[in-house]
Amino acid sequence: MEMMIETAAVARHEAQRAVQAAGQRARHSANQGEYLTFKLGAEEYGIDILRVQEIRSYEPPTRIANAPPFLKGVVNLRGVIVPIIDLRLKLGCDSAEYNHFTVVIVLNVRNRVVGVVVDSVSDVLELSGEAIRPAPSTNASIDTSYITGIGSVAERMLILMDIEALMGSADMGLMDDPQD
């Protein structure tokens, strides 16, 4: 009888370990997919390629009065007025000069078209769940809610971003309702 109880306890323990392992695999595989990678200063970032509508060369936008510094202005993209966000300023990076490598990634976020200025676009990478690590824990004074993980490809480290969460944040003022 004791052996049956012991066997049942071992089985329960193994089942719990299997559930925990499956949960970890599910969290990693939830972030797997294709990412457009780009640079902001010395750091490399990745966003879900499915959010990218197009990549354009940088052209100075029309300024909007009283806009926050990271909102560079708007451009007319085939009849659609598109707000242009400088991610370097939004994320507190050192500002860099606009040059021939500077591009605007045009995104479709919650059925809105938004452009983000980045230093350069690198490539499109397919990342498996094993190549993605959880985002680091930070204290409450640092907002990292838009960071979904850290991708590792050879010697490269990519900061993976939930661009919808970043563009939908209250300080951006671009989205009326987080569920739009």
Side-chain angles (χ1 to χ4, degrees):
M1 184 68 154
E2 284 180 29
M3 189 170 199
M4 287 177 61
I5 293 172
E6 200 171 296
T7 303
V10 169
R12 275 195 306 276
H13 177 71
E14 289 301 315
Q16 286 176 333
R17 285 185 50 202
V19 167
Q20 288 173 341
Q24 288 175 342
R25 282 193 304 274
R27 280 192 297 279
H28 286 305
S29 66
N31 289 339
Q32 77 182 12
E34 290 186 331
Y35 291 86
L36 176 70
T37 63
F38 58 89
K39 289 198 170 209
L40 294 175
E43 306 304 323
E44 199 166 6
Y45 294 81
I47 58 174
D48 182 359
I49 191 69
L50 297 177
R51 300 286 168 244
V52 177
Q53 182 173 308
E54 65 184 275
I55 299 168
R56 302 175 51 88
S57 60
Y58 178 78
E59 55 189 61
T62 302
R63 292 277 310 143
I64 297 176
N66 298 319
F70 58 80
L71 179 58
K72 300 308 287 179
V74 295
V75 297
N76 185 339
L77 180 62
R78 293 182 294 279
V80 177
I81 303 302
V82 178
I84 303 297
I85 307 297
D86 189 327
L87 277 187
R88 293 176 290 201
L89 297 176
K90 171 63 182 142
L91 299 177
C93 300
D94 293 335
S95 63
E97 292 183 24
Y98 296 100
N99 58 34
H100 63 282
F101 292 113
T102 305
V103 296
V104 175
I105 302 172
V106 179
L107 305 165
N108 192 328
V109 179
R110 298 184 190 155
N111 298 319
R112 296 262 328 250
V113 179
V114 179
V116 294
V117 179
V118 299
D119 292 337
S120 64
V121 170
S122 304
D123 51 12
V124 175
L125 293 176
E126 185 168 351
L127 295 177
S128 66
E130 292 78 37
I132 300 172
R133 299 289 171 246
S137 300
T138 58
N139 66 26
S141 67
I142 301 171
D143 180 18
T144 58
S145 61
Y146 58 88
I147 298 176
T148 60
I150 305 294
S152 184
V153 180
E155 297 297 315
R156 294 165 64 186
M157 297 269 300
L158 305 170
I159 300 169
L160 303 177
M161 299 173 56
D162 178 352
I163 199 69
E164 281 195 7
L166 182 63
M167 292 296 123
S169 64
D171 67 323
M172 293 293 276
L174 295 175
M175 309 294 163
D176 296 331
D177 183 341
Q179 304 306 318
D180 279 351

